[in-house]
Protein backbone atom coordinates (compact mmCIF):
# COMPACT_ATOMS: atom_id res chain seq x y z
CA UNK A 1 0.00 0.00 0.00
CA UNK A 2 1.08 3.57 -0.75
CA UNK A 3 1.12 6.09 2.11
CA UNK A 4 -1.24 9.05 1.87
CA UNK A 5 1.63 11.52 1.67
CA UNK A 6 3.33 9.53 -1.12
CA UNK A 7 0.03 9.39 -3.00
CA UNK A 8 -0.42 13.17 -2.71
CA UNK A 9 3.16 13.81 -3.77
CA UNK A 10 2.78 11.55 -6.83
CA UNK A 11 -0.53 13.20 -7.70
CA UNK A 12 0.96 16.69 -7.46
CA UNK A 13 3.81 15.63 -9.76
CA UNK A 14 1.20 15.23 -12.54
CA UNK A 15 -0.32 18.73 -12.26
CA UNK A 16 -0.45 20.41 -15.70
CA UNK A 17 0.19 24.11 -16.39
CA UNK A 18 -2.62 26.42 -15.23
CA UNK A 19 -5.44 27.22 -17.69
CA UNK A 20 -5.51 30.38 -19.81
CA UNK A 21 -6.55 33.61 -18.15
CA UNK A 22 -9.60 35.78 -18.75
CA UNK A 23 -10.90 39.10 -17.47
CA UNK A 24 -13.85 39.09 -15.05
CA UNK A 25 -15.74 41.98 -13.45
CA UNK A 26 -14.82 42.55 -9.80
CA UNK A 27 -18.32 41.60 -8.62
CA UNK A 28 -17.97 38.18 -10.33
CA UNK A 29 -14.49 37.41 -9.01
CA UNK A 30 -15.28 35.69 -5.71
CA UNK A 31 -13.23 32.46 -5.34
CA UNK A 32 -11.51 32.98 -8.68
CA UNK A 33 -7.72 32.77 -8.83
CA UNK A 34 -5.61 35.76 -9.89
CA UNK A 35 -3.58 34.98 -13.01
CA UNK A 36 -1.22 37.96 -12.58
CA UNK A 37 0.15 40.13 -9.81
CA UNK A 38 -2.05 43.18 -9.25
CA UNK A 39 -0.36 46.57 -8.72
CA UNK A 40 -2.16 49.67 -7.55
CA UNK A 41 -2.42 52.72 -9.78
CA UNK A 42 -3.62 54.79 -6.84
CA UNK A 43 -2.64 55.41 -3.23
CA UNK A 44 -5.15 54.38 -0.55
CA UNK A 45 -6.13 56.68 0.99
CA UNK A 46 -5.42 59.05 -1.92
CA UNK A 47 -4.79 62.06 0.39
CA UNK A 48 -4.12 62.63 4.06
CA UNK A 49 -7.60 62.63 5.57
CA UNK A 50 -9.26 63.06 8.91
CA UNK A 51 -10.00 59.99 11.04
CA UNK A 52 -12.56 61.93 13.13
CA UNK A 53 -15.05 64.79 13.10
CA UNK A 54 -13.20 67.83 14.45
CA UNK A 55 -10.87 70.71 13.55
CA UNK A 56 -7.72 70.68 11.39
CA UNK A 57 -4.98 73.02 12.69
CA UNK A 58 -1.28 73.78 12.59
CA UNK A 59 -0.04 72.18 15.79
CA UNK A 60 2.60 74.87 16.48
CA UNK A 61 0.03 77.67 16.10
CA UNK A 62 -2.42 75.94 18.42
CA UNK A 63 0.26 75.57 21.09
CA UNK A 64 1.64 79.12 20.65
CA UNK A 65 -1.65 80.95 21.09
CA UNK A 66 -3.58 81.39 24.31
CA UNK A 67 -6.75 82.48 22.49
CA UNK A 68 -9.07 80.64 20.12
CA UNK A 69 -8.28 79.89 16.44
CA UNK A 70 -11.03 81.31 14.20
CA UNK A 71 -12.66 78.74 11.90
CA UNK A 72 -11.83 79.77 8.30
CA UNK A 73 -13.35 76.91 6.26
CA UNK A 74 -15.55 73.84 6.38
CA UNK A 75 -14.33 70.57 4.81
CA UNK A 76 -16.90 67.80 4.26
CA UNK A 77 -15.78 64.37 2.92
CA UNK A 78 -15.39 64.41 -0.86
CA UNK A 79 -14.52 68.13 -1.13
CA UNK A 80 -11.23 69.68 -2.30
CA UNK A 81 -10.24 72.24 0.37
CA UNK A 82 -7.98 75.26 -0.28
CA UNK A 83 -4.83 75.55 1.91
CA UNK A 84 -5.43 76.43 5.56
CA UNK A 85 -5.24 80.18 6.22
CA UNK A 86 -2.43 80.84 8.75
CA UNK A 87 -3.70 81.42 12.28
CA UNK A 88 -7.03 79.60 11.68
CA UNK A 89 -8.62 76.18 12.02
CA UNK A 90 -10.75 74.24 9.50
CA UNK A 91 -13.94 72.47 10.51
CA UNK A 92 -13.39 68.92 9.17
CA UNK A 93 -15.36 65.67 9.01
CA UNK A 94 -14.35 61.99 9.01
CA UNK A 95 -12.78 60.99 5.68
CA UNK A 96 -12.38 64.58 4.46
CA UNK A 97 -9.06 65.72 2.92
CA UNK A 98 -6.85 67.57 5.40
CA UNK A 99 -6.17 71.06 3.92
CA UNK A 100 -2.58 71.79 2.93
CA UNK A 101 -0.79 73.42 5.86
CA UNK A 102 -2.79 71.64 8.57
CA UNK A 103 -0.84 68.91 10.32
CA UNK A 104 -3.08 67.84 13.23
CA UNK A 105 -6.78 67.18 13.77
CA UNK A 106 -8.44 67.98 17.11
CA UNK A 107 -11.34 65.70 17.94
CA UNK A 108 -14.63 67.54 18.28
CA UNK A 109 -14.91 66.05 21.79
CA UNK A 110 -11.57 67.67 22.81
CA UNK A 111 -12.47 71.14 21.56
CA UNK A 112 -14.30 74.12 22.99
CA UNK A 113 -16.10 76.20 20.36
CA UNK A 114 -17.60 79.68 20.61
CA UNK A 115 -18.19 82.64 18.28
CA UNK A 116 -14.46 83.49 18.31
CA UNK A 117 -13.28 80.08 17.19
CA UNK A 118 -11.97 76.88 18.75
CA UNK A 119 -9.73 76.13 21.72
CA UNK A 120 -8.73 72.84 23.30
CA UNK A 121 -9.77 71.89 26.79
CA UNK A 122 -6.45 70.22 27.67
CA UNK A 123 -3.60 71.22 25.30
CA UNK A 124 -1.18 68.73 26.94
CA UNK A 125 -3.41 65.87 25.70
CA UNK A 126 -3.04 66.89 22.04
CA UNK A 127 -0.22 65.26 20.04
CA UNK A 128 1.22 66.65 16.82
CA UNK A 129 -0.09 64.75 13.78
CA UNK A 130 -3.02 63.21 15.65
CA UNK A 131 -6.13 61.79 13.90
CA UNK A 132 -4.76 61.94 10.38
CA UNK A 133 -4.83 58.88 8.13
CA UNK A 134 -1.81 59.29 5.93
CA UNK A 135 -1.91 59.10 2.15
CA UNK A 136 -0.97 55.54 1.06
CA UNK A 137 -1.01 54.08 4.57
CA UNK A 138 -3.23 51.21 3.38
CA UNK A 139 -1.86 50.80 -0.16
CA UNK A 140 1.13 52.75 -1.51
CA UNK A 141 0.93 54.02 -5.09
CA UNK A 142 2.44 51.40 -7.44
CA UNK A 143 2.76 48.71 -4.80
CA UNK A 144 1.79 45.06 -5.34
CA UNK A 145 -1.68 44.64 -3.87
CA UNK A 146 -2.11 40.88 -4.41
CA UNK A 147 0.05 38.17 -5.93
CA UNK A 148 -0.77 35.84 -8.83
CA UNK A 149 -2.22 32.62 -7.42
CA UNK A 150 -4.36 34.35 -4.80
CA UNK A 151 -7.78 32.73 -4.46
CA UNK A 152 -10.05 35.73 -3.97
CA UNK A 153 -11.97 35.89 -0.71
CA UNK A 154 -14.53 38.60 0.13
CA UNK A 155 -11.69 40.53 1.84
CA UNK A 156 -9.57 40.43 -1.31
CA UNK A 157 -12.54 41.61 -3.38
CA UNK A 158 -12.94 44.57 -1.01
CA UNK A 159 -9.25 45.47 -1.25
CA UNK A 160 -9.32 45.28 -5.06
CA UNK A 161 -12.35 47.58 -5.03
CA UNK A 162 -10.45 50.05 -2.85
CA UNK A 163 -7.76 50.40 -5.53
CA UNK A 164 -10.39 51.00 -8.19
CA UNK A 165 -10.09 47.83 -10.27
CA UNK A 166 -13.23 47.00 -12.28
CA UNK A 167 -11.83 43.98 -14.17
CA UNK A 168 -9.41 41.32 -12.99
CA UNK A 169 -7.21 38.77 -14.76
CA UNK A 170 -8.14 35.31 -13.43
CA UNK A 171 -7.49 31.77 -14.62
CA UNK A 172 -10.34 30.15 -16.51
CA UNK A 173 -12.19 27.97 -14.03
CA UNK A 174 -11.27 24.29 -14.34
CA UNK A 175 -14.05 22.04 -15.60
CA UNK A 176 -14.37 18.70 -13.85
CA UNK A 177 -16.50 15.92 -15.30
CA UNK A 178 -18.35 13.76 -12.77
CA UNK A 179 -19.46 10.22 -13.74
CA UNK A 180 -21.32 7.97 -11.32
CA UNK A 181 -20.95 4.31 -12.23
CA UNK A 182 -23.30 1.63 -10.96
CA UNK A 183 -26.33 -0.31 -12.22
CA UNK A 184 -27.84 -0.05 -8.74
CA UNK A 185 -28.10 3.75 -8.95
CA UNK A 186 -31.36 5.62 -9.36
CA UNK A 187 -31.64 9.41 -9.52
CA UNK A 188 -33.46 11.27 -6.73
CA UNK A 189 -37.09 11.80 -7.72
CA UNK A 190 -37.34 8.45 -9.50
CA UNK A 191 -38.99 5.34 -8.00
CA UNK A 192 -36.66 2.55 -6.81
CA UNK A 193 -37.16 -1.18 -6.73
CA UNK A 194 -35.48 -3.74 -4.49
CA UNK A 195 -31.70 -3.63 -4.60
CA UNK A 196 -31.48 -0.13 -6.00
CA UNK A 197 -30.12 2.90 -4.15
CA UNK A 198 -30.21 6.60 -4.86
CA UNK A 199 -27.19 8.19 -6.47
CA UNK A 200 -25.63 10.41 -3.84
CA UNK A 201 -22.03 10.67 -5.08
CA UNK A 202 -23.10 12.61 -8.15
CA UNK A 203 -24.63 15.39 -6.05
CA UNK A 204 -21.95 15.23 -3.37
CA UNK A 205 -19.11 15.66 -5.88
CA UNK A 206 -20.79 18.33 -7.97
CA UNK A 207 -21.48 20.30 -4.77
CA UNK A 208 -17.93 19.83 -3.45
CA UNK A 209 -16.56 21.07 -6.77
CA UNK A 210 -18.84 24.12 -6.89
CA UNK A 211 -18.03 25.00 -3.30
CA UNK A 212 -14.32 24.84 -4.05
CA UNK A 213 -14.75 27.17 -7.05
CA UNK A 214 -14.54 24.66 -9.91
CA UNK A 215 -17.07 24.03 -12.66
CA UNK A 216 -18.68 20.61 -12.38
CA UNK A 217 -19.66 18.96 -15.66
CA UNK A 218 -22.35 16.55 -14.57
CA UNK A 219 -22.21 13.46 -16.82
CA UNK A 220 -24.87 11.56 -14.87
CA UNK A 221 -25.04 7.86 -14.18
CA UNK A 222 -23.09 5.30 -16.18
CA UNK A 223 -24.18 1.67 -16.58
CA UNK A 224 -21.83 -1.12 -15.54
CA UNK A 225 -20.93 -2.03 -19.14
CA UNK A 226 -17.55 -1.67 -20.75
CA UNK A 227 -18.72 -0.01 -23.98
CA UNK A 228 -21.05 2.42 -22.19
CA UNK A 229 -18.36 3.35 -19.65
CA UNK A 230 -15.81 3.86 -22.42
CA UNK A 231 -18.13 6.10 -24.43
CA UNK A 232 -18.99 8.17 -21.34
CA UNK A 233 -15.32 8.57 -20.44
CA UNK A 234 -14.51 9.81 -23.95
CA UNK A 235 -17.32 12.37 -23.85
CA UNK A 236 -16.16 13.49 -20.41
CA UNK A 237 -12.53 13.80 -21.51
CA UNK A 238 -13.65 16.03 -24.35
CA UNK A 239 -15.70 18.30 -22.10
CA UNK A 240 -13.44 18.74 -19.07
CA UNK A 241 -9.98 19.37 -17.66
CA UNK A 242 -10.28 16.43 -15.26
CA UNK A 243 -12.49 13.34 -15.36
CA UNK A 244 -13.70 11.98 -12.01
CA UNK A 245 -15.56 8.71 -11.63
CA UNK A 246 -17.02 7.07 -8.56
CA UNK A 247 -17.38 3.32 -8.09
CA UNK A 248 -16.47 0.52 -10.45
CA UNK A 249 -12.77 0.88 -9.79
CA UNK A 250 -12.23 -2.29 -7.76
CA UNK A 251 -11.48 -5.74 -9.16
CA UNK A 252 -14.96 -7.28 -9.37
CA UNK A 253 -16.23 -8.30 -12.82
CA UNK A 254 -18.86 -5.55 -12.61
CA UNK A 255 -16.06 -2.98 -12.28
CA UNK A 256 -15.37 -1.67 -15.78
CA UNK A 257 -13.69 1.66 -15.17
CA UNK A 258 -10.10 0.38 -15.38
CA UNK A 259 -10.63 -1.50 -18.60
CA UNK A 260 -12.62 1.37 -20.13
CA UNK A 261 -9.90 3.92 -19.32
CA UNK A 262 -7.17 1.76 -20.87
CA UNK A 263 -9.15 1.54 -24.14
CA UNK A 264 -8.39 5.24 -24.76
CA UNK A 265 -5.66 6.04 -22.26
CA UNK A 266 -3.56 4.79 -19.41
CA UNK A 267 -4.22 4.06 -15.76
CA UNK A 268 -2.45 3.19 -12.51
CA UNK A 269 -4.53 1.55 -9.82
CA UNK A 270 -3.23 2.52 -6.41
CA UNK A 271 -3.92 0.90 -3.08
CA UNK A 272 -3.61 3.91 -0.83
CA UNK A 273 -3.28 3.45 2.94
CA UNK A 274 -6.26 5.74 3.56
CA UNK A 275 -9.44 4.89 5.42
CA UNK A 276 -12.05 5.30 4.14
CA UNK A 277 -11.06 4.99 0.48
CA UNK A 278 -8.34 2.47 -0.38
CA UNK A 279 -8.74 2.03 -4.17
CA UNK A 280 -7.74 5.10 -6.17
CA UNK A 281 -7.03 5.22 -9.89
CA UNK A 282 -4.93 7.83 -11.65
CA UNK A 283 -4.47 8.08 -15.37
CA UNK A 284 -5.60 9.88 -18.52
CA UNK A 285 -8.31 9.43 -21.10
CA UNK A 286 -7.46 10.80 -24.55
CA UNK A 287 -4.95 13.15 -22.91
CA UNK A 288 -7.28 14.43 -20.17
CA UNK A 289 -6.29 13.64 -16.57
CA UNK A 290 -8.45 10.97 -14.96
CA UNK A 291 -9.06 10.03 -11.32
CA UNK A 292 -11.19 7.08 -10.25
CA UNK A 293 -12.61 7.35 -6.74
CA UNK A 294 -14.17 4.56 -4.68
CA UNK A 295 -17.95 4.10 -4.64
CA UNK A 296 -18.80 4.53 -0.99
CA UNK A 297 -19.95 8.11 -0.34
CA UNK A 298 -17.79 8.83 2.71
CA UNK A 299 -14.78 7.41 0.87
CA UNK A 300 -15.62 9.80 -1.98
CA UNK A 301 -15.76 12.70 0.46
CA UNK A 302 -12.43 11.85 2.09
CA UNK A 303 -10.48 11.02 -1.07
CA UNK A 304 -11.81 14.19 -2.70
CA UNK A 305 -10.76 16.39 0.22
CA UNK A 306 -7.38 14.76 0.82
CA UNK A 307 -6.22 13.81 -2.68
CA UNK A 308 -8.29 15.42 -5.44
CA UNK A 309 -8.64 18.92 -4.00
CA UNK A 310 -4.89 19.63 -3.60
CA UNK A 311 -4.36 18.53 -7.22
CA UNK A 312 -7.23 20.73 -8.45
CA UNK A 313 -6.00 23.77 -6.52
CA UNK A 314 -2.50 23.36 -7.93
CA UNK A 315 -3.86 22.83 -11.46
CA UNK A 316 -6.06 25.92 -11.09
CA UNK A 317 -2.96 28.03 -10.45
CA UNK A 318 -3.58 28.60 -6.73
CA UNK A 319 -0.38 29.39 -4.83
CA UNK A 320 0.58 26.72 -2.25
CA UNK A 321 -0.27 25.39 0.27
CA UNK A 322 -2.87 23.21 -1.45
CA UNK A 323 -3.85 20.91 1.37
CA UNK A 324 -6.69 21.63 3.81
CA UNK A 325 -6.02 23.81 6.83
CA UNK A 326 -5.08 21.77 9.89
CA UNK A 327 -5.27 22.36 13.60
CA UNK A 328 -4.43 20.22 16.62
CA UNK A 329 -7.20 19.31 19.05
CA UNK A 330 -7.44 16.98 22.02
CA UNK A 331 -8.96 13.54 21.44
CA UNK A 332 -12.06 12.93 23.52
CA UNK A 333 -11.84 9.20 22.78
CA UNK A 334 -9.38 6.32 22.75
CA UNK A 335 -8.53 3.80 20.00
CA UNK A 336 -6.41 0.91 21.12
CA UNK A 337 -6.17 -1.11 17.94
CA UNK A 338 -3.70 0.35 15.45
CA UNK A 339 -4.90 0.28 11.81
CA UNK A 340 -2.84 -0.38 8.68
CA UNK A 341 -4.20 2.71 6.96
CA UNK A 342 -4.20 6.40 7.91
CA UNK A 343 -7.70 6.98 9.19
CA UNK A 344 -9.91 10.04 8.76
CA UNK A 345 -12.50 9.92 11.51
CA UNK A 346 -15.74 11.88 11.53
CA UNK A 347 -15.68 13.99 14.69
CA UNK A 348 -17.44 16.90 16.33
CA UNK A 349 -15.69 19.70 18.19
CA UNK A 350 -16.97 19.90 21.76
CA UNK A 351 -15.95 22.14 24.63
CA UNK A 352 -15.35 21.42 28.30
CA UNK A 353 -13.57 23.26 31.14
CA UNK A 354 -10.17 22.53 29.50
CA UNK A 355 -11.21 23.89 26.10
CA UNK A 356 -12.06 22.21 22.82
CA UNK A 357 -11.84 18.46 22.22
CA UNK A 358 -12.88 15.98 19.53
CA UNK A 359 -15.86 13.70 19.93
CA UNK A 360 -15.97 10.56 17.78
CA UNK A 361 -19.06 9.43 15.88
CA UNK A 362 -19.75 5.82 16.87
CA UNK A 363 -20.35 4.74 13.26
CA UNK A 364 -17.46 5.38 10.85
CA UNK A 365 -18.77 3.21 8.00
CA UNK A 366 -17.51 4.36 4.60
CA UNK A 367 -21.02 3.98 3.22
CA UNK A 368 -22.53 6.50 5.64
CA UNK A 369 -23.09 10.17 4.97
CA UNK A 370 -25.25 10.95 8.01
CA UNK A 371 -22.20 10.80 10.30
CA UNK A 372 -20.34 13.12 7.91
CA UNK A 373 -23.20 15.62 8.29
CA UNK A 374 -23.12 15.27 12.07
CA UNK A 375 -19.35 15.88 12.02
CA UNK A 376 -17.57 19.23 12.02
CA UNK A 377 -14.53 17.70 10.36
CA UNK A 378 -12.07 14.84 10.27
CA UNK A 379 -9.56 13.71 12.89
CA UNK A 380 -6.44 12.08 11.44
CA UNK A 381 -5.00 8.92 12.97
CA UNK A 382 -1.75 7.81 11.29
CA UNK A 383 -1.30 4.19 10.16
CA UNK A 384 -0.01 2.03 13.00
CA UNK A 385 -0.97 4.53 15.68
CA UNK A 386 -3.32 4.19 18.61
CA UNK A 387 -5.12 7.09 20.29
CA UNK A 388 -4.91 7.82 23.99
CA UNK A 389 -7.73 9.97 25.31
CA UNK A 390 -6.48 13.52 25.80
CA UNK A 391 -3.64 13.40 23.25
CA UNK A 392 -3.63 15.99 20.45
CA UNK A 393 -4.76 14.90 16.99
CA UNK A 394 -4.61 16.65 13.64
CA UNK A 395 -8.06 18.00 12.82
CA UNK A 396 -9.35 19.09 9.40
CA UNK A 397 -12.42 21.27 9.65
CA UNK A 398 -15.04 20.98 6.92
CA UNK A 399 -14.90 24.27 5.06
CA UNK A 400 -18.59 25.00 5.25
P1 LIG B 1 -18.26 -0.14 -6.23
O1 LIG B 1 -16.86 0.33 -6.03
O2 LIG B 1 -18.81 0.25 -7.56
O3 LIG B 1 -18.41 -1.58 -5.94
O4 LIG B 1 -19.14 0.65 -5.14
C1 LIG B 1 -18.89 0.50 -3.76
C2 LIG B 1 -20.13 0.83 -2.96
O5 LIG B 1 -20.48 2.21 -3.15
C3 LIG B 1 -21.37 0.04 -3.32
O6 LIG B 1 -22.09 -0.24 -2.15
C4 LIG B 1 -22.14 1.00 -4.19
O7 LIG B 1 -23.51 0.73 -4.21
C5 LIG B 1 -21.83 2.33 -3.56
N1 LIG B 1 -21.96 3.40 -4.53
C6 LIG B 1 -21.32 3.45 -5.72
N2 LIG B 1 -21.66 4.55 -6.40
C7 LIG B 1 -22.54 5.22 -5.62
C8 LIG B 1 -23.26 6.45 -5.79
N3 LIG B 1 -23.11 7.18 -6.88
N4 LIG B 1 -24.06 6.85 -4.79
C9 LIG B 1 -24.20 6.09 -3.67
N5 LIG B 1 -23.55 4.94 -3.47
C10 LIG B 1 -22.73 4.49 -4.43
MG1 LIG C 1 -20.22 -0.44 -8.75
Amino acid sequence: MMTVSDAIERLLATVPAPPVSEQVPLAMALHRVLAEDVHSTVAVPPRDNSAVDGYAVRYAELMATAGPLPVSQRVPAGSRPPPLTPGTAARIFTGATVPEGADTVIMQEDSVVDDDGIRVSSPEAITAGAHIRRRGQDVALGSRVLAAGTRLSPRHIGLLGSVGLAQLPVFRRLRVAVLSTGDELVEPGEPTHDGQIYNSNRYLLCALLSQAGFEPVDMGRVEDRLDVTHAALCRAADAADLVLTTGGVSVGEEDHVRAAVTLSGTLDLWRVAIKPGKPFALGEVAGTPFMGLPGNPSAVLVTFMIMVLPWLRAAQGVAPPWHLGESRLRAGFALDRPGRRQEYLRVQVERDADGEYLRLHPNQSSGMLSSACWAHGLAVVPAGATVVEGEPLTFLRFED
Side-chain angles (χ1 to χ4, degrees), residues 22-63:
E22 60 192 16
Q23 296 283 327
V24 292
L26 179 61
M28 304 291 284
L30 182 65
H31 296 162
R32 302 298 299 270
V33 180
L34 278 182
E36 293 163 26
D37 289 355
V38 172
H39 292 87
S40 182
T41 55
V42 296
V44 182
R47 298 258 172 262
D48 287 3
N49 71 78
S50 180
V52 296
D53 292 334
Y55 295 88
V57 299
R58 286 184 177 83
Y59 181 77
E61 285 178 359
L62 182 78
M63 291 300 145

Side-chain angles (χ1 to χ4, degrees), residues 76 206 244 339:
C206 288
L244 278 182

Side-chain angles (χ1 to χ4, degrees), residues 13-14 67 115 128 155 199 210 233 247 264 266 297 333 362 387:
T14 70
D115 287 349
R155 288 160 284 134
N199 185 354
S210 300
L233 283 170
S264 294
T266 56
F333 56 90
V387 177

Side-chain angles (χ1 to χ4, degrees), residues 181-185 224 246-249 254-256 295:
T181 76
D183 281 346
E184 73 278 32
L185 302 177
D224 286 324
T246 61
V249 86
E254 293 296 336
D255 296 327
H256 298 292

